Amino acid sequence: IFTDPLTPCGQIIALHFSVPTVFFLRGVPCAIDVHAAQCPDPPSYIPRMFSLNTDHMTFPQRVKNFLISLSESFTCSIVFSPFESLASDFLQKPMTITQLLSHGSIWLKRLDFVFDYPMPVMPNMIFIGGINCGQKK
């Protein structure tokens, strides 16, 4: 199933029918995609989305980045709780959003390290960041 992980209904159906999933995304808030794929994600080194930090952070910026990552996990647990309860009811077993997305086969990420910072990724994450770029004149 070709689906978007932001609304994981396609992933719930894929798990129910035991078919592979291909995710197409730019980025998921709270780095759920990174955690689901089991990529290393140290908050003291990788800048959080909307933090305006660079990859060279001072100690106060690293603390700010860490606090942002804590607040993201709390906020996203509230936002994704309806999907967790839907998945748990439909699949008849308790599921978190990270467990649900961890069954993705391939992650097509619309990222480009020219615009974003390099980060460690798993082999099933494929960067297709140039597909939205226009031809340079």
Side-chain angles (χ1 to χ4, degrees):
I1 292 181
F2 189 68
T3 186
D4 184 4
L6 195 57
T7 55
C9 295
Q11 179 61 22
I12 295 170
I13 299 295
L15 279 175
H16 181 71
F17 291 115
S18 299
V19 295
T21 308
V22 175
F23 292 123
F24 182 71
L25 69 149
R26 166 77 170 89
V28 178
C30 314
I32 291 176
D33 55 336
V34 174
H35 296 291
Q38 298 180 351
C39 295
D41 187 37
S44 58
Y45 292 101
I46 299 174
R48 293 291 175 223
M49 193 181 300
F50 306 119
S51 69
L52 303 177
N53 290 334
T54 65
D55 57 340
H56 299 287
M57 293 183 273
T58 62
F59 180 74
Q61 289 174 325
R62 290 178 196 274
V63 171
K64 173 186 163 189
N65 207 46
F66 178 73
L67 294 175
I68 288 172
S69 72
L70 285 178
S71 66
E72 281 179 344
S73 64
F74 176 72
T75 304
C76 283
S77 67
I78 293 171
V79 170
F80 286 109
S81 65
F83 292 112
E84 290 176 352
S85 63
L86 175 70
S88 297
D89 292 342
F90 189 74
L91 299 172
Q92 300 296 315
K93 60 182 176 181
M95 295 288 283
T96 64
I97 193 70
T98 307
Q99 290 171 338
L100 188 65
L101 295 179
S102 68
H103 294 281
S105 299
I106 295 183
W107 297 75
L108 298 176
K109 297 189 75 145
R110 292 182 303 163
L111 291 177
D112 191 355
F113 289 147
V114 173
F115 303 114
D116 299 297
Y117 295 108
M119 60 184 165
V121 294
M122 299 309 271
N124 64 340
M125 294 182 138
I126 301 166
F127 293 98
I128 54 172
I131 65 169
N132 294 330
C133 299
Q135 189 79 1
K136 188 174 180 178
K137 295 180 182 178

